[in-house]
Amino acid sequence: MTDDLDDLRAALKASPSPDADAKARAMRLAIENFDRLHQAPQGSGELLRSSEDRPRAAPLNGVRRMFHYLTSRPALTATTSVAALLIGVAVILPVADLRLGKPTVVVETKEAPAAKQAEPVSAPETALAPSAPYGSGATLTDSVSPDAAPKREAELAASDLAQAEESAASSAVVAEPAPEPLTEAPMDGIEALPAAPVVGLAENELRLRAEAPMDGVMGYVAAPEGDMMQAPVENTEAYANEDPNPVKVTAEEPVSTFSIDVDTASYAVVRSSLTGGYLPTPDQVRVEEMVNYFPYAYAAPEGDQAFASTVSVMPTPWNPGTRLVTIGIQGALPEVAARPPLNLVFLIDTSGSMEDANKLPLLKKSLSLMLSELRPEDQVAIVTYAGSAGEVLPPTAAGERAAILAALDNLMAGGSTAGAEGLELAYRVAEGMKAEGEVTRILLATDGDFNVGIDDPEGLEAYVAKKRESGTYLSVLGFGRGNLDDAIMQSLAQNGNGTAAYIDTLNEARKVLVDQLTGALFPIADDVKIQVEWNPATVAEYRLIGYETRALRREDFNNDKVDAGEIGAGTQVTAIYEVTAPGSDALLNDPLRYGAAPAEGAAGELGFLRLRWKAPGADQSTLVETPISGKEPASAETRFAAAIAGFGQLLQGSVYLGDWGWDQAIALATENRGDDPFGYRIEAANLMRLAQSLSN
């Protein structure tokens, strides 16, 4: 035996060097032998006959003949090169193709084509190794019975040779042309499907994960044509809103009281919905936030006054029997250079729900825009929260822009949303940044999807409300859709003495964080309240359009302990009432049987406006009163505000608009655009047109 091995070793050493022509001849000979042994007679039109009905001795006879021809030394020498080539084809090509992301052809039986086949193809005695995924651990001998081994080796050889020569016809593979398709040799009685198109790595990874067991065979499930079907994402959005304000009878309830609101989130949410191809739901629409989204040319306060009020009266566009009373409040704008130093804590949600492009990536770009508006003496810190909270950037001078940008760029999304823990850490960091005469603010950027650590939302609101007493205010920026929790965002902003905005584009980020930065972060008045007393002699009914979530009790107006809204430097606030005169055909309520005492004095006035606020940090409020005569002229500014109020009510499906519709709203907005340097107003008109198309 030792002599035979020595002779074999010597023969191998003496084998000639590889020759291209010899390899080609050997390849052709192997293919011809395979075709002759395993194919039906040429031109017979018959498929390969299944080996299941052959005598059990047939495989053994083939084995005997193989060993008979291979025992001679010349045969050993001649077949060495062929064996090496076959091994390379059988092993290297499938592995390389899988790494390149090329798909494996899925086979189908003639009796059950793939398009209709309900059950996977069964191969009881065969485990087709090339069909196993790369790295799965499958070997050539897994799940193979001894009797089936010769047949499987022949099938593997046929598959590899077919790949090497791309001889689809000789192996009965039916395939559409494709760049370098990877094909499987047909099993007995089985045809191959057309080769799937080559796909990218990401799509191929999805297909590799869709492995289906087939009685001992690991194969690939055919991917559907076109885009992979994705399960619909559950919409968990929640919005803070109340039913629209009803019409009130002046004789029964002459006083209307509410806290001002400078939030603009609702308008951006509406825009996001419309540009996404669907109408917003009524609860997503807060009319006052839509109206307050736009700048208006109101008169500025004079001297040391913190505010100036502008009142206008005009016929109601949607109801000729009523009038609109628009109240505009303009805050003073101190010189920016005179503002105190700012301590700003970015509290950033980095949970897994923030990974979408319109969430954390947009958030990072948005905050980077804001840095150019900060001064060198300002400080910035970054706190993030996901599964837990952490301080990513300690308090850093705003002048160190590169360090701040690097900290933002390194943020990644992942984990659950431990919002309560993040808030606590942000307030601790803010406390450490404070100094006398400085302004300290927390800017929370999130999709609002708090799901860890908030078992008691009311307790969280109380916590934020308590922290505002220290002078650290909290504002909220919302990002993304699908799980936007507007309700939590509004609650945190209102209790934190801050504002709430929604960022859907980088342009919106510039508007909120650059153009309106001073107003958002530097308040000139706290607890600002508005109260209007209507004269029953001239106003029989009235309706406040919007501000449903900001309503206050009548007695709250004079109570300085009651929290209300904040006004930042240069900020504007607009409120619109629809009023109806006594005897008008537009009255919606019947008169009382027993009537009411007639109003005394000031019979010509429509009403009386009271404005109350406190200076930042002050305990006592200031009161300013202004009569509403009813003769105040309207302007293009107030008519445009009326168009936006109509826009919001149309989206809500308001019952107070009658036959007034989209055409009238669009015309009113376009005719009263006025000065529109940044295109906000023409954008609103185009959104109305889009809403009109979507509502048809």
Side-chain angles (χ1 to χ4, degrees), residues 339-346 370 374 377-381 395 423 425-444 464 467-475 496-498 520-523 526 566 616:
R339 71 167 176 81
L342 172 65
N343 301 313
L344 182 61
V345 179
F346 289 157
M370 183 181 185
L374 302 181
E377 58 268 29
D378 297 333
Q379 288 191 95
V380 174
L423 280 172
L425 179 57
Y427 276 111
R428 290 200 301 271
V429 173
E431 286 295 322
M433 299 171 69
K434 281 184 177 180
E436 187 68 26
E438 297 181 348
V439 174
T440 303
R441 298 288 180 265
I442 296 175
L443 189 59
L444 168 61
V464 172
K467 288 296 183 180
R468 75 176 179 230
E469 297 176 2
S470 66
T472 299
Y473 293 175
L474 172 69
S475 292
N497 270 12
L521 299 179
F522 299 95
D526 291 344
E566 283 64 48

Side-chain angles (χ1 to χ4, degrees), residues 451-471:
N451 53 38
V452 173
I454 302 181
D455 298 326
D456 181 13
E458 294 183 358
L460 180 63
E461 295 170 4
Y463 172 79
V464 172
K466 181 179 180 180
K467 288 296 183 180
R468 75 176 179 230
E469 297 176 2
S470 66

Side-chain angles (χ1 to χ4, degrees), residues 4 88 150 310 368 562 690:
D4 292 339
T310 300
S368 66
V562 175
L690 183 55

Side-chain angles (χ1 to χ4, degrees), residues 406-637:
L408 286 172
D409 290 341
N410 289 332
L411 299 181
M412 302 291 290
S416 54
T417 315
E421 185 178 352
L423 280 172
E424 292 175 359
L425 179 57
Y427 276 111
R428 290 200 301 271
V429 173
E431 286 295 322
M433 299 171 69
K434 281 184 177 180
E436 187 68 26
E438 297 181 348
V439 174
T440 303
R441 298 288 180 265
I442 296 175
L443 189 59
L444 168 61
T446 178
D447 59 5
D449 187 17
F450 290 77
N451 53 38
V452 173
I454 302 181
D455 298 326
D456 181 13
E458 294 183 358
L460 180 63
E461 295 170 4
Y463 172 79
V464 172
K466 181 179 180 180
K467 288 296 183 180
R468 75 176 179 230
E469 297 176 2
S470 66
T472 299
Y473 293 175
L474 172 69
S475 292
V476 184
L477 300 177
F479 289 84
R481 297 298 300 272
N483 61 342
L484 181 69
D485 198 330
D486 171 83
I488 285 184
M489 291 168 49
Q490 291 290 324
S491 175
L492 292 177
Q494 291 183 17
N495 285 279
N497 270 12
T499 61
Y502 173 75
I503 307 296
D504 59 334
T505 66
L506 202 57
N507 281 333
E508 183 66 13
R510 175 177 175 80
K511 179 178 183 293
V512 172
L513 298 176
V514 177
D515 298 342
Q516 300 173 348
L517 175 65
T518 301
L521 299 179
F522 299 95
I524 59 174
D526 291 344
D527 298 337
V528 185
K529 307 169 187 176
I530 290 179
Q531 186 175 80
V532 179
E533 180 184 354
W534 297 105
N535 182 359
T538 56
V539 176
E541 295 175 343
Y542 68 91
R543 176 173 69 97
L544 175 61
I545 302 175
Y547 290 96
E548 288 84 2
T549 63
R550 291 285 191 167
L552 295 175
R553 296 173 300 183
R554 179 176 175 178
E555 63 267 27
D556 291 338
F557 183 77
N558 293 323
N559 188 348
D560 288 340
K561 298 293 185 181
V562 175
D563 180 60
E566 283 64 48
I567 287 286
T571 300
Q572 300 171 332
V573 181
T574 302
I576 301 176
Y577 284 92
E578 182 177 0
V579 301
T580 310
S584 171
D585 293 337
L587 288 172
L588 298 179
N589 293 280
D590 294 330
L592 296 175
R593 176 180 177 85
Y594 303 105
E600 296 180 1
E605 293 179 354
L606 286 183
F608 201 65
L609 169 65
R610 297 181 178 93
L611 183 65
R612 186 181 290 278
W613 75 91
K614 292 187 293 188
D619 296 327
Q620 300 295 321
S621 62
T622 300
L623 175 65
V624 172
E625 299 177 324
T626 304
I628 302 174
S629 67
K631 299 178 181 179
E632 293 83 356
S635 64
E637 299 295 294

Side-chain angles (χ1 to χ4, degrees), residues 210-233:
E211 301 168 357
M214 299 191 303
D215 294 339
V217 178
M218 290 299 293
Y220 299 141
V221 175
E225 294 184 2
D227 295 334
M228 298 285 290
M229 295 298 293
Q230 299 290 338
V233 178

Side-chain angles (χ1 to χ4, degrees), residues 223-505:
E225 294 184 2
D227 295 334
M228 298 285 290
M229 295 298 293
Q230 299 290 338
V233 178
E234 181 183 2
N235 189 320
T236 60
E237 295 186 350
Y239 290 88
N241 215 338
E242 301 289 341
D243 293 334
N245 289 321
V247 172
K248 295 186 177 181
V249 177
T250 308
E252 300 172 358
E253 193 174 349
V255 178
S256 171
T257 308
F258 63 95
S259 165
I260 67 163
D261 185 13
V262 294
D263 296 342
T264 59
S266 181
Y267 180 85
V269 169
V270 166
R271 179 179 58 203
S272 173
S273 298
L274 293 174
T275 55
Y278 57 93
L279 291 169
T281 58
D283 65 328
Q284 295 172 354
V285 181
R286 289 187 290 271
V287 178
E288 75 279 4
E289 294 187 16
M290 297 184 66
V291 172
N292 284 317
Y293 181 83
F294 302 90
Y296 300 97
Y298 295 146
E302 299 178 354
D304 296 334
Q305 296 295 317
F307 298 106
S309 59
T310 300
V311 179
S312 66
V313 181
M314 59 179 283
T316 303
W318 50 83
N319 192 345
T322 66
R323 288 183 289 177
L324 291 185
V325 178
T326 302
I327 301 171
I329 306 296
Q330 174 67 60
L333 179 61
E335 292 185 14
V336 176
R339 71 167 176 81
L342 172 65
N343 301 313
L344 182 61
V345 179
F346 289 157
L347 175 56
I348 301 176
D349 182 353
T350 56
S351 62
S353 65
M354 291 289 291
E355 64 183 353
D356 296 343
N358 61 350
K359 295 186 179 181
L360 185 58
L362 177 59
L363 183 159
K364 293 192 288 187
K365 294 177 183 178
S366 301
L367 295 183
S368 66
L369 293 178
M370 183 181 185
L371 297 180
S372 61
E373 300 301 305
L374 302 181
R375 301 188 309 192
E377 58 268 29
D378 297 333
Q379 288 191 95
V380 174
I382 300 177
V383 173
T384 63
Y385 63 91
S388 59
E391 185 178 16
V392 172
L393 180 73
T396 303
E400 298 182 25
R401 183 182 175 89
I404 299 172
L405 289 175
L408 286 172
D409 290 341
N410 289 332
L411 299 181
M412 302 291 290
S416 54
T417 315
E421 185 178 352
L423 280 172
E424 292 175 359
L425 179 57
Y427 276 111
R428 290 200 301 271
V429 173
E431 286 295 322
M433 299 171 69
K434 281 184 177 180
E436 187 68 26
E438 297 181 348
V439 174
T440 303
R441 298 288 180 265
I442 296 175
L443 189 59
L444 168 61
T446 178
D447 59 5
D449 187 17
F450 290 77
N451 53 38
V452 173
I454 302 181
D455 298 326
D456 181 13
E458 294 183 358
L460 180 63
E461 295 170 4
Y463 172 79
V464 172
K466 181 179 180 180
K467 288 296 183 180
R468 75 176 179 230
E469 297 176 2
S470 66
T472 299
Y473 293 175
L474 172 69
S475 292
V476 184
L477 300 177
F479 289 84
R481 297 298 300 272
N483 61 342
L484 181 69
D485 198 330
D486 171 83
I488 285 184
M489 291 168 49
Q490 291 290 324
S491 175
L492 292 177
Q494 291 183 17
N495 285 279
N497 270 12
T499 61
Y502 173 75
I503 307 296
D504 59 334
T505 66

